[in-house]
Amino acid sequence: METVTQFITDLGPAVVLPVLIFVFAVILGLRPGRAFRAGVLIGIGFVGIGLVITLLLEQLGPAAEGLAERFEVQLNVIDVGWPSTAAIAFGSQVGAFIIPLGLAVNIALLGIGLTRTLNIDLWNYWHMAFIGAIVAIVTESLLWGFVAAAIHMVILLALADWSAPWIQRYYNFPNVSLPHGTSAPYVFLAIPLNYLFDRIPVVRDWKLDPDTIQRRFGVFGESIILGLVLGIVLGVLGGLSLNAVLQLGISLAAVMLLLPRMVAILMEGLAPVAEAAREFVQRRFPGRNLYIGLDSAIAVGAPAVIATALLMVPITLVIAVVLPGNQVLPFGDLATMPFIVCMMVPIFRGNIFRSVVAGAIAIAGGLYIATAISPVFTQAANNVNFQAPGDATQLSSLVDGANPVTGLFFGVAQAPAVGLPLLGAAALLFAWWVSRRQPGEPAVAGSKPRPGEPERAREPQEERI
C-alpha cells in the first residue's frame, strides 16, 4: 500500500489529475475525445502553475533568508517548509493508507448527502496524513491516528462546501471547491473577521482591492507594477545585491501576470467537465450539486492574493521576533503565504487591508501552535528518518504546523477517548449543517456586499481569470 501511495504521489498533479479527469469525465457522459482533451489541458495548466510557483519560491527564498539574518532572529525551532512536512506525513504509517482512507470517507459522505465535493486532489491528502501522524504519536495509537485523519477529511470537505460560493464567485471557478488542508481552515477566521470589519465605522469603507488601486493610480496600480514594487522592496529589506533586487522585482511582476494565465488554461480544460458533472447530478439527483475538489494552487494567482502574501513575508518575521513565547523561526514556508491567505481573500472581497490583518492574526496564533507541537513534529520526522537541515534539532512548519486545525487535533489528542469522538460528532454535525444550505447562500449575516458594492473585487480586465 505504501508503494502504491508513493507511486501516485510521485507522479504529481500534472500526471495524476489528467488521468482522473479523463475517467471521471467519461463516467459523466462526456465524449472520450473531449474528455481526453480536457484532461490534457488541465495537466498543462498544472505544469504552468507549478513552474510559476517554483519561480516564486526560488526568488523569494534568498530575500526571506536575508530578512531573517537582518532581523537577527534567534529562534531554536526551524520551519522546514511544506515539502518536508509532506514527506514526513506520507512516510508515516498513516500516510501509507491515507489515499484509500480519504477516498472511502469522501465517497461515503457523498453517498449520504453530507458533502457536495468530490476531492480528487489526491497528492494533498498528505495534510490528513500529517494530522493522523501527529495524533498517533501523541496517543501512542495508530488507530486513533486513522480516526483523526478521517475526521480531518470530514472537516475539510465541509469547509470546502461552505466556502464554495465565495470561491466560485470571486475566482470565477464554476462547480469547483478547495478542500485544501492548508487553506480551508482559515475560513473559520475570515468569516467572523469580515463580519466584524463590516461593522467598524470608517474601516468598513476602506476599499483596498486591486481594481480600486488601479483606478486610483492608473498604470502604477496594475498588478504587474504592484508585483514589481513589492519585489524590489522585499529585495532591499533582505539586503540583496542590486542585480538580485531587480531580478526579484521582475520575477514577481511575471508571477502576477503568468499565474492567472496558467489558471485560465486549467479552467478551460475543467469547464466541460464541470458542466457535465452538473448535468449528471441534476439528472440523477435533482436539487443536488457536485463540486470538483481541487488544489488551492489554482487560486494563488489572483493579484490580491499575491499582494497580500508578499506583504505578509516581512510581517511574519516581525511577529516571530516580537511574539512572547514563540520559538519558531519562519523560513521554509515564507514563500507559501499565498496558500495561507487564498481562501480568506474572496471572503474579504479582495480587500488587501483586511486580508493582511487576518493573515497577521493567523500567523500570530499559528506560531504558538507550531511551537507547542514542535516536539511531536520532530518525533514524526525522526520516525521516518528525515534529515533535518543544518544543525537543527527542533522542527515545525507554518503550512500545517501552525494551522488552527492542527492545534485543535493536538488538543483533543491529549484525551483521545473523549476528545476525538466528540470532535468527530461535531465534524459530522457541521457537515450536515453545511449540506442543508442552498448552494450560493450567504454563510453568515453581513457577508453580502453593501449597497453599491460589487459582489467581488474584480481584477483588471487583462488579469481576470
Side-chain angles (χ1 to χ4, degrees):
M1 186 61 69
E2 182 179 357
T3 302
V4 172
T5 298
Q6 193 62 47
F7 175 75
I8 293 173
T9 55
D10 285 345
L11 285 176
V15 176
V16 175
L17 191 57
V19 174
L20 290 175
I21 287 292
F22 172 75
V23 174
F24 182 49
V26 170
I27 292 173
L28 293 175
L30 208 61
R31 293 196 305 272
R34 290 192 69 194
F36 182 76
R37 182 180 184 276
V40 172
L41 270 178
I42 289 171
I44 292 170
F46 262 103
V47 169
I49 291 170
L51 289 172
V52 179
I53 290 177
T54 299
L55 172 66
L56 175 65
L57 299 179
E58 289 177 349
Q59 291 294 320
L60 271 185
E65 186 175 1
L67 276 166
E69 291 176 356
R70 298 191 75 179
F71 277 114
E72 297 183 352
V73 179
Q74 300 295 327
L75 300 170
N76 57 18
V77 179
I78 304 300
D79 165 23
V80 294
W82 76 265
S84 298
T85 309
I88 293 168
F90 271 132
S92 69
Q93 290 177 296
V94 177
F97 294 88
I98 195 60
I99 290 179
L101 175 64
L103 285 173
V105 172
N106 194 172
I107 292 170
L109 292 181
L110 280 169
I112 61 178
L114 287 187
T115 186
R116 300 183 180 102
T117 294
L118 175 61
N119 185 3
I120 60 174
D121 185 20
L122 301 185
W123 47 93
N124 273 313
Y125 279 26
W126 73 260
H127 298 280
M128 289 165 282
F130 174 76
I131 292 292
I134 293 297
V135 170
I137 291 172
V138 174
T139 62
E140 299 181 350
S141 168
L142 183 59
L143 177 60
W144 283 127
F146 283 121
V147 170
I151 295 172
H152 191 210
M153 181 60 140
V154 176
I155 293 173
L156 291 181
L157 290 172
L159 284 171
D161 290 347
W162 194 24
S163 59
W166 283 289
I167 300 300
Q168 294 167 5
R169 183 165 55 239
Y170 184 81
Y171 293 117
N172 193 23
F173 292 165
N175 295 335
V176 167
S177 65
L178 305 178
H180 194 272
T182 295
S183 310
Y186 294 104
V187 170
F188 281 129
L189 173 65
I191 289 175
L193 270 182
N194 192 57
Y195 183 85
L196 179 63
F197 282 132
D198 280 344
R199 279 150 185 79
I200 300 176
V202 182
V203 172
R204 66 188 176 196
D205 297 320
W206 291 350
K207 294 182 180 179
L208 203 61
D209 57 80
D211 193 33
T212 302
I213 292 172
Q214 185 181 7
R215 284 200 304 269
R216 291 181 179 177
F217 297 100
V219 66
F220 295 102
E222 288 189 18
S223 61
I224 57 173
I225 305 301
L226 184 61
L228 174 68
V229 171
L230 288 174
I232 291 173
V233 170
L234 285 174
V236 171
L237 289 176
L240 303 183
S241 66
L242 177 60
N243 287 350
V245 167
L246 295 177
Q247 289 172 357
L248 178 59
I250 291 296
S251 295
L252 294 190
V255 168
M256 287 288 206
L257 179 66
L258 294 176
L259 260 181
R261 304 288 172 88
M262 296 303 102
V263 173
I265 293 173
L266 186 148
M267 295 309 297
E268 181 184 347
L270 189 63
V273 182
E275 180 61 24
R278 186 186 65 81
E279 293 176 356
F280 180 89
V281 173
Q282 286 185 347
R283 285 196 305 267
R284 289 163 175 78
F285 307 99
R288 290 188 63 182
N289 198 7
L290 178 67
Y291 302 149
I292 301 174
L294 294 178
D295 189 339
S296 61
I298 67 173
V300 302
V305 173
I306 295 294
T308 299
L310 294 178
L311 290 170
M312 284 303 303
V313 171
I315 290 172
T316 297
L317 287 169
V318 171
I319 292 173
V321 172
V322 303
L323 197 66
N326 172 53
Q327 294 297 318
V328 176
L329 170 62
F331 177 67
D333 279 331
L334 280 175
T336 58
M337 285 293 167
F339 291 87
I340 293 176
V341 302
C342 68
M343 288 182 69
M344 295 195 286
V345 167
I347 294 169
F348 296 130
R349 301 184 289 276
N351 190 305
I352 296 172
F353 168 77
R354 296 186 182 193
S355 301
V356 168
V357 172
I361 294 172
I363 291 299
L367 286 173
Y368 283 125
I369 297 171
T371 298
I373 73 161
S374 61
V376 180
F377 190 108
T378 304
Q379 184 178 340
N382 293 336
N383 288 349
V384 298
N385 298 317
F386 174 78
Q387 296 298 317
D391 299 326
T393 57
Q394 291 291 310
L395 310 177
S396 197
S397 71
L398 288 183
V399 159
D400 269 29
N403 196 288
V405 170
T406 301
L408 175 63
F409 276 95
F410 181 71
V412 300
Q414 308 304 316
V418 176
L420 282 172
L422 286 177
L423 182 58
L428 289 172
L429 184 61
F430 176 50
W432 174 83
W433 176 77
V434 173
S435 70
R436 299 283 77 82
R437 308 185 70 82
Q438 293 299 317
E441 183 181 353
V444 293
S447 63
K448 292 182 178 179
R450 295 182 301 279
E453 184 178 15
E455 284 193 338
R456 68 179 181 95
R458 292 186 178 273
E459 270 64 58
Q461 182 67 34
E462 67 272 19
E463 300 295 340
R464 193 175 303 159
I465 299 173

